[in-house]
Amino acid sequence: MPHQMLTESDWDRNVGTQAFPVSFLHEYAVRLLWDSLHSKNRVTVKTIDGNMSDNLMDGVDRVIIPDSMQPIGGCIPDLALLDKDLRPVRIIEVIVNSPPTGDKMDKLERLKQRGVEVVLIPVRSEEELKALVPPPFEGQQPNWAYEWTPTVFEQMGIINIPRQRQIRTGQLGADSKIEELIHALIQCQPETRRKLVKVMQEMDSLESRYPLSPKNPKRMITTANGSDS
């Protein structure tokens, strides 16, 4: 089974108000998306229908988190993506239970009719939250792959010997550093090893693996593994 970082009760914890409850899972998903949309990377997500979206930042100049003082067409979506004239290009709704119905759905339909793209993103579990953050090098090659161009011999299926030697040299260098670390761990005092174990355990925390940027709005709501600060 996949390693669960938080319990269901942690994810379900209300970080909103009694009148307008919102789960910790929902808030963390919105914050992760906000950070992604403020990066320089292409942002695509799996939508409620199971398909991958186009780049969410196409035609977008600003990303905001609307509230009752700044609704979008009478609706308060989780995120609103605006163009350079501050007109909405698309809005994002994070779905932790079921898709919008009733009056909320009517408002979303009216936004669609006015040319605003409505993106529904399912985040109903920890695994779907993790999927919002693609693993390193997903859909791209590591940096060293851009340092060379395939030769005619490679295109013919003939191995590039110098290139293979370069990769092997890098592997041997990395192996050597790991061996040095292992030797140091064997030789060091138990107290030092315990410090390393503690650091490694903390690296598996929610904040370590899926951190929020310091500029993230309402960041304090989603820190300390769901504990209010």
Side-chain angles (χ1 to χ4, degrees):
M1 292 181 62
H3 168 61
Q4 292 296 115
M5 304 184 71
L6 297 180
T7 65
E8 293 297 323
S9 60
D10 288 329
W11 286 124
D12 292 339
R13 191 176 70 88
N14 180 21
V15 293
T17 64
Q18 292 299 319
F20 299 99
V22 58
S23 71
F24 179 66
L25 175 61
H26 178 276
E27 286 294 276
Y28 217 93
V30 172
R31 308 315 170 200
L32 284 178
L33 284 166
W34 191 92
D35 277 349
S36 294
L37 293 167
H38 282 82
S39 71
K40 296 180 180 180
N41 300 324
R42 175 183 173 86
V43 182
T44 60
V45 294
K46 182 174 286 188
T47 61
I48 196 71
D49 58 9
N51 297 321
M52 292 301 295
S53 71
D54 294 326
N55 182 15
L56 296 180
M57 290 303 293
D58 280 346
V60 174
D61 184 72
R62 183 178 300 184
V63 179
I64 64 170
I65 298 179
D67 57 23
S68 59
M69 298 294 291
Q70 193 178 26
I72 305 295
C75 179
I76 304 177
D78 291 319
L79 291 158
L81 285 62
L82 314 179
D83 63 17
K84 60 182 177 61
D85 296 319
L86 301 185
R87 295 182 62 82
V89 175
R90 61 185 57 86
I91 63 169
I92 295 175
E93 285 283 352
V94 171
I95 309 301
V96 294
N97 292 310
S98 56
T101 58
D103 183 58
K104 180 66 173 289
M105 193 62 198
D106 291 340
K107 291 179 179 178
L108 295 180
E109 287 296 334
R110 286 196 290 271
L111 283 173
K112 288 182 183 179
Q113 293 170 7
R114 296 171 65 180
V116 179
E117 182 183 3
V118 175
V119 183
L120 305 181
I121 304 175
V123 184
R124 298 160 295 194
S125 66
E126 184 173 297
E127 291 308 305
E128 288 186 329
L129 175 81
K130 293 175 181 177
L132 295 179
V133 182
F137 301 130
E138 181 180 74
Q140 59 180 316
Q141 295 175 307
N143 291 335
W144 54 256
Y146 298 100
E147 298 173 358
W148 64 293
T149 302
T151 67
V152 65
F153 299 103
E154 288 174 282
Q155 294 170 5
M156 294 171 60
I158 301 175
I159 296 175
N160 183 321
I161 299 300
R163 181 60 191 164
Q164 293 297 315
R165 188 179 297 120
Q166 181 180 348
I167 294 174
R168 180 58 179 161
T169 300
Q171 290 174 337
L172 290 174
D175 288 346
S176 176
K177 291 179 181 178
I178 295 299
E179 290 291 346
E180 290 178 10
L181 174 60
I182 292 172
H183 180 74
L185 286 171
I186 293 172
Q187 297 295 321
C188 73
Q189 298 183 56
E191 291 82 358
T192 303
R193 283 196 294 273
R194 286 195 288 271
K195 288 180 182 178
L196 177 62
V197 170
K198 186 174 186 298
V199 170
M200 296 299 290
Q201 289 173 338
E202 291 174 351
M203 287 177 65
D204 194 40
S205 69
L206 180 66
E207 293 89 345
S208 177
R209 292 179 59 184
Y210 302 93
L212 301 177
S213 70
K215 296 182 180 180
N216 199 300
K218 301 181 182 178
R219 182 175 182 272
M220 297 303 291
I221 294 177
T222 49
T223 56
N225 275 349
S227 300
D228 286 328
S229 301

